[in-house]
Amino acid sequence: KTSTDTGWTMIPSITQNESGYLLENLSPATTYNWYVESICDNDSTIPSLSYATFTTECNVFPSPFYQNFDASPNLTNCWERYEGLASNVFAGAELTPTTASNSWKIIDSPDFDSRHVKLNIFGTDCKYWFVSPAINLSALTNPALTFDLALTKYNSTSAITNPEGQPDDKFMVIISTDNGATWSAANATVWSND
C-alpha cells in the first residue's frame, strides 16, 4: 500500500522456493509500505510485527518542464541533493548524496512570493549540488533554461552589498547528457567572483 492508503492490497501467495515477487503498475516517486505474512499448515496466518518501506524512482519528465516548488511533494522529491567539488566531479569523481542541514532546502518564506530553494553560502566548504529529475528534451528544437536567482544577505531578502568580497563563491548550472552519470565543465555555465 502507499504510505497514505489505509487498506492493504494482498498479492498472490509466494512459495517458499521463490526468491522474489515483481510488483507492477506502481506510481513513480511514491513511498510504499509492505509486510510478509506467514501462512501455516492449518491456513492460519502469522502477521509481521512491523512493515518496511521502499520508494519508487522518478519518471523522466517530458518537456517543457516547469518547477515552482509549489507542486505536490512527489514532484519535489525527484530533486536530489549532493555534495562534491565541481573540479573533482568534472574529473570523474562521483557526487556524494547528502542530507546535511546546511545544504539546499525547499522552503516557504513570507519574504518571497512562493516556495523556493535556498542555500546559505558560508565558509570554504560549501560544495552543494541540487540536481533536477531527468528531463526529456528531445521534443524541443531550441531547449532553454530560465530561472530566478537572488544573492542576498544572510537570513534576508536584501541584496548582498559586496559580492566581490566573496572570491571563492561560484554558482553553476551544469547539464548532464547521461542522466547524471557524468558531469562536464563544457556543459557548465559559471557565475563567479574570479
Side-chain angles (χ1 to χ4, degrees):
K1 74 176 188 99
T2 66
S3 59
T4 57
D5 286 341
T6 54
W8 292 88
T9 300
M10 192 69 108
I11 61 169
S13 297
I14 300 173
T15 65
Q16 177 178 338
N17 296 329
E18 291 182 76
S19 61
Y21 183 84
L22 177 64
L23 297 171
E24 298 180 307
N25 300 316
L26 300 177
S27 298
T30 303
T31 299
Y32 288 89
N33 301 330
W34 65 276
Y35 74 95
V36 175
E37 210 172 59
S38 297
I39 300 175
C40 301
D41 289 337
N42 60 2
D43 286 337
S44 63
T45 59
I46 303 171
S48 294
L49 297 177
S50 64
Y51 61 84
T53 64
F54 67 91
T55 301
T56 54
E57 292 184 1
C58 296
N59 279 344
V60 174
F61 286 89
S63 53
F65 176 79
Y66 175 76
Q67 174 68 74
N68 65 359
F69 300 103
D70 286 333
S72 70
N74 284 352
L75 184 59
T76 54
N77 285 345
C78 294
W79 290 76
E80 300 287 340
R81 296 183 304 159
Y82 297 97
E83 60 183 304
L85 188 62
S87 58
N88 292 345
V89 175
F90 293 154
E94 290 189 20
L95 289 170
T96 304
T98 185
T99 57
S101 61
N102 56 345
S103 72
W104 291 97
K105 300 175 190 177
I106 300 174
I107 64 167
D108 289 301
S109 171
D111 301 323
F112 289 94
D113 292 337
S114 62
R115 290 181 79 194
H116 57 281
V117 291
K118 171 184 171 180
L119 175 67
N120 287 327
I121 303 171
F122 59 92
T124 57
D125 63 346
C126 184
K127 305 170 195 79
Y128 295 113
W129 297 54
F130 195 58
V131 179
S132 75
I135 304 165
N136 182 348
L137 302 177
S138 64
L140 300 178
T141 306
N142 295 307
L145 172 69
T146 59
F147 57 92
D148 295 321
L149 174 69
L151 179 59
T152 63
K153 294 179 183 177
Y154 177 72
N155 210 22
S156 170
T157 57
S158 299
I160 194 166
T161 53
N162 183 16
E164 293 79 18
Q166 316 298 321
D168 66 328
D169 293 346
K170 292 179 172 65
F171 176 78
M172 301 181 188
V173 173
I174 309 162
I175 307 296
S176 172
T177 58
D178 56 10
N179 200 26
T182 60
W183 301 91
S184 169
N187 291 337
T189 299
V190 180
W191 291 266
S192 172
N193 289 324
D194 292 348

